[in-house]
Each structure stands twice: as structure tokens, then as C-alpha cells.
Amino acid sequence: MLTREENELLMRVEGDAPMGQMMRRYWIPAMKSSEIAESGGAPQRLKILGEDLVAFRDSSGRAGIMDEYCPHRRASLVLARNENNALQCLYHGWRIDVNGNIVETPCEPDDSDFKNKIKHIAYPTRELGGMVFVYMGPPGTEPALPEFPWTSVPETHRVIIKMRTEANWAQCLEGVLDSSHSNFLHSSEIIPGQEESQLGGTSREVKDDKILIRRPSNDGRPRLEAQNTNYGFRYAAIRKPINDPDKYHYIRVTLFIAPFYGMFPAPDGLAYIQAFVPMDDHHTMFFWFQCSFREPMDPELAYARSGARTGIDLNPDYSKVRTRENNWLQDREAMKVNTFSGIYGVQTQDMAVQEGMGFLCDRAGEHLGASDVAVIRMRRLMLDSARHFRQGGTPLGLDGDIPYSHLRAEERIIPLDQPWETVGAFAGEPKEPVDARV
């Protein structure tokens, strides 16, 4: 159980909060490149670490992210004209480029050098893997970009799902690091499968327009073991398989990658990683990066199965139609027949539980058990890192090179005497092709 002081340190990211200041030292996935696809197109509003920001692509195609409010009289630059490689504020015509330079102050005298004395808050951006990354730390302290597996595959071989969660970043991240809840919350979608026991992992099929995952185990009490790494940690959920439990373990290895990534096992040929980017203390922007190493993926199918279809599941700002106010459209009649949670989609189920804790979870009322090993470790590592950073140290994962492109989460059935650490340890490319459309 965390003390109130520790809980505040973990959750708070706005202003001078140590956790937020530390997160500024990482490259942060800010938005899809497609959201500002048009050079000279409409600026877009976004919020990261409590800051109101505006993103745009200038006339030369450069992506920019800066303080939303004009440095003159604080009018919103979301309304600005985007032309001639600058945003022009509608209020008094000030023009600002992607680097925060004041290009023109047309209301000032012709001989004024006023604009040269002002620098607008603008942050470095980089585009990688269909995403715009932003660095919000001190200039000159940028680390290398995290080149995860999804950043290097062709555009047709990846899908990026984006959804807004009405809850603090930490309680959202904890969901992907919690293996045992899948036996309950997702039990209508993840079911035991006898025939999968010899395959080394799960299999998937589509039934009634949703993915049904068959797992080679019905063990609802996984034993968790963790191993610290230079990027965070990896842990194994160790279960008894359905077949030959006296000879084998069923292993699922999940990774926590600082500061807010979770990588969990995907079917052969695919890779999954999720990011939980703090918008502010109370809201999180969720990104789910899916990629296939073998063949193109179908984005529309992925959006539908994740409950992430704009205009159906999501509003234009990526907030959900299913909310706390409507109980996430839980279907109590379906719960009597064939659905454990009554909530559509694995991702929506996770978000419903996370949002149901309140915007900021009061962890003083928790009673943690053996199934919470990974959650406890993430909290401790991030708290230790924030304290270390506050004293002038380097944040977790930024001290040395990390082979992001080689990181893998994996599931396998292995002999009882084989160490679980051999599973997913810098695995190479998948051995078998997979139908990424299923």
C-alpha cells in the first residue's frame, strides 16, 4: 500500500510535480501524424502533462507543437491561420514559426525590434512510425528516439488505436501490467482451449464480429516473477497448462518500459505495445500500437474490435461514447446469458474499470496480494526514479542504450526445468507468418 505522499508523487504530473518534470525528459508520443497530415492545414489542440498545446504542419511540411496561447495577448492559436511557414494569430496578426520564433508583429512600429526579444514556448518534434513525438525537457537533453518494432514496419503493416481515458495515467498503465484480471474481466473473450495446449500460445478466431482468444490454460492463479532491466522490468505470469501440467509451464512475459509503456504478448508475427500518455492529472491519452512483421493489417477491423470507431465508439476528440455517466453501456441482460462484464470490447472493459476508480485512485484503501507483483514493482521503480531525478539523477531508462527494436513480449509453453527468463529475451523476428486480419 502506498502512503498518501507516495500516491501523490506517483500520480501528479502537472506544473512542478516531479513525475511530470521527469517525464519531460523522454520523447512523448503526442499524436498521429495523420492528424496534421495537411501542410498548412488546421491547427489541432492537444494537452500533455497539463499543458495546453497546439500542433500543426507548416507550409514546408514541418510538424510543430507549441503553447496554445499567443505570447501577445494569449488568444488561442488553434484559431490561427497556418500559412507562409507560421501560425498567424487572428487577434493582432502575430506570426510564429515551428521553433517559437516571432516572425512578425504587424501592429508594432516598422522600426521595432520587439519581436526579437520574445521567444514563444515551442518544443522539438520528430516523426517516427506514423507518430509525432515531442520533447518537453530542457533544450539539448534529448535522448534517442524509442524505435519500437512498430516504427520500422511499412505503414500498411501497422495500426495505431487512440482513445482518451478519464483517469490518471498510473491506474491506466497498471491494467496492462496485471495478468490475473484477464481470467475475470475478459473471461468472455479469453477462454481456455484444450487444443491450443500444444501450440505454445493462444489462438484467435472471429465470432459475432469480435475476437475470441483461446488460451491453453484455465489457471486463474498465475504465479508472478519479475526481472529488472535497464528500461524497467519484464515479468512472467506462470500458469499451469491444460495438458501435461506436471511437465510444463505456460508462460506469458510482459514488459514495463519507462515511463508509461506496456508490451504484452501478441500472436506470432505481430507485436503489441500500449502507451498511457498523461494529458493532465485526471486524463490519459491511450495509444495502442499494433504491427505485423509479415503482411498488411486492416485498420477498420482493428478499430471495430477495440471499440475505437470514430463516430460510433469515439467522439472527434477521441473521448468515448461509453462513459461513467452511462455505465459504459453495460448490458445487464447479456451478463445473464453469455457475457461476464456486459461491456463491449476488451479495451473498453479495461477503461471502465480504470475510470470507475475515480480520476485519481485513492490507494490508501487498497489491499494488495500476490497477484499484484508487477503493479507494485512499476510503482516502486517509478517512485524511485522520480526521487532520484529530483536529486539530479538520470531517469529510469535514459542511462545507456536500450534496444527498443529488439524488445519482445512472448508467451510459450516450456518444460518445468526451463527458466522463464528465456522466454521473450531479445527474440528475433517471428518464426511463422500470421493472418493479421484475424
Side-chain angles (χ1 to χ4, degrees):
M1 183 177 71
L2 298 182
T3 66
R4 292 194 181 279
E5 180 183 7
E6 289 174 325
N7 202 35
E8 289 287 303
L9 178 58
L10 178 69
M11 294 189 299
R12 300 288 184 180
V13 297
E14 298 180 30
D16 293 331
M19 190 64 70
Q21 289 297 312
M22 183 180 74
M23 286 185 176
R24 291 170 178 269
R25 297 301 182 96
Y26 301 82
W27 283 102
I28 299 173
M31 66 193 313
K32 299 181 185 181
S33 293
S34 60
E35 294 180 72
I36 50 169
E38 180 185 357
S39 296
Q44 301 296 314
R45 180 181 287 112
L46 72 158
K47 177 173 280 193
I48 301 175
L49 299 176
E51 283 198 37
D52 294 326
L53 303 169
V54 62
F56 66 104
R57 191 176 299 279
D58 71 9
S59 309
S60 297
R62 297 176 299 178
I65 292 180
M66 62 176 62
D67 179 5
E68 179 185 342
Y69 305 108
C70 178
H72 178 214
R73 295 273 297 279
R74 308 301 285 164
S76 174
L77 294 175
V78 172
L79 305 174
R81 299 178 66 90
N82 182 6
E83 56 193 10
N84 299 322
N85 284 328
L87 291 185
Q88 183 171 36
C89 181
L90 296 186
Y91 205 5
H92 298 92
W94 281 34
R95 298 180 61 245
I96 309 161
D97 70 13
V98 292
N99 297 314
N101 299 312
I102 313 303
V103 178
E104 187 178 0
T105 54
C107 292
E108 297 301 307
D110 287 339
D111 60 352
S112 172
D113 66 347
F114 184 41
K115 64 183 177 64
N116 299 325
K117 300 177 181 178
I118 303 168
K119 184 81 169 181
H120 191 46
I121 297 173
Y123 296 113
T125 61
R126 300 287 187 274
E127 293 190 75
L128 180 67
M131 288 292 296
V132 179
F133 286 79
V134 63
Y135 184 76
M136 300 174 68
T141 60
E142 298 93 332
L145 278 167
E147 297 183 358
F148 289 111
W150 56 269
T151 66
S152 60
V153 300
E155 183 177 358
T156 55
H157 288 49
R158 66 172 168 257
V159 172
I160 302 174
I161 292 169
K162 179 178 179 180
M163 303 171 72
R164 172 172 156 158
T165 310
E166 314 303 307
N168 179 260
W169 74 276
Q171 62 206 61
C172 297
L173 170 63
E174 288 170 359
V176 76
L177 301 178
D178 174 9
S179 183
S180 60
H181 82 271
S182 62
N183 290 86
F184 299 93
L185 182 62
H186 309 315
S187 58
S188 299
E189 291 80 14
I190 303 174
I191 62 176
Q194 184 87 13
E195 66 277 12
E196 278 72 34
S197 294
Q198 302 302 325
L199 300 180
T202 58
S203 67
R204 299 183 302 168
E205 64 181 75
V206 178
K207 184 177 181 180
D208 298 329
D209 199 32
K210 72 176 183 179
I211 291 180
L212 190 65
I213 300 170
R214 296 189 182 276
R215 175 180 287 174
S217 174
N218 57 8
D219 185 357
R221 294 183 173 89
R223 186 175 84 254
L224 306 187
E225 295 185 9
Q227 174 189 51
N228 284 351
T229 65
N230 63 342
Y231 55 79
F233 68 87
R234 54 199 298 267
Y235 86 92
I238 304 170
R239 291 179 168 90
K240 296 177 181 178
I242 294 174
N243 288 348
D244 299 320
D246 57 332
K247 298 179 181 179
Y248 299 102
H249 286 312
Y250 167 50
I251 308 290
R252 280 180 59 87
V253 172
T254 298
L255 281 59
F256 163 63
I257 305 160
F260 41 55
Y261 296 98
M263 179 183 284
F264 59 97
D268 282 342
L270 303 180
Y272 292 162
I273 185 169
Q274 296 181 346
F276 302 85
V277 178
M279 299 174 65
D280 52 30
D281 289 347
H282 300 91
H283 305 90
T284 302
M285 194 59 77
F286 164 79
F287 295 96
W288 185 358
F289 306 105
Q290 306 178 13
C291 73
S292 167
F293 297 103
R294 300 297 186 187
E295 59 190 0
M297 301 185 72
D298 186 332
E300 296 306 318
L301 283 176
Y303 298 152
R305 292 165 185 166
S306 301
R309 297 164 293 183
T310 301
I312 299 175
D313 306 303
L314 302 178
N315 300 309
D317 65 351
Y318 296 97
S319 62
K320 298 182 299 301
V321 171
R322 299 173 177 86
T323 65
R324 180 195 308 269
E325 288 70 28
N326 59 31
N327 275 349
W328 300 275
L329 299 181
Q330 186 181 43
D331 187 341
R332 285 279 171 177
E333 291 304 311
M335 292 171 70
K336 298 176 182 178
V337 181
N338 59 6
T339 303
F340 181 80
S341 70
I343 298 172
Y344 174 79
V346 168
Q347 199 53 57
T348 309
Q349 292 163 8
D350 283 334
M351 290 184 174
V353 171
Q354 294 151 9
E355 293 174 350
M357 300 174 185
F359 290 111
L360 293 165
C361 180
D362 181 3
R363 292 180 173 84
E366 287 184 331
H367 298 83
L368 303 181
S371 63
D372 301 306
V373 164
V375 170
I376 294 169
R377 185 165 296 225
M378 182 280 292
R379 294 176 184 177
R380 287 300 171 193
L381 285 177
M382 288 301 286
L383 287 170
D384 288 346
S385 183
R387 294 185 186 110
H388 182 60
F389 171 75
R390 189 165 51 185
Q391 296 169 359
T394 301
L396 177 64
L398 298 184
D399 188 9
D401 294 332
I402 295 174
Y404 289 103
S405 62
H406 295 291
L407 297 181
R408 295 290 187 274
E410 189 180 359
E411 60 181 352
R412 248 182 22 222
I413 293 177
I414 63 174
L416 292 178
D417 59 355
Q418 180 177 338
W420 72 261
E421 290 87 351
T422 61
V423 179
F426 289 5
E429 286 201 356
K431 304 177 185 64
E432 301 293 337
V434 65
D435 183 356
R437 296 167 296 176
V438 176

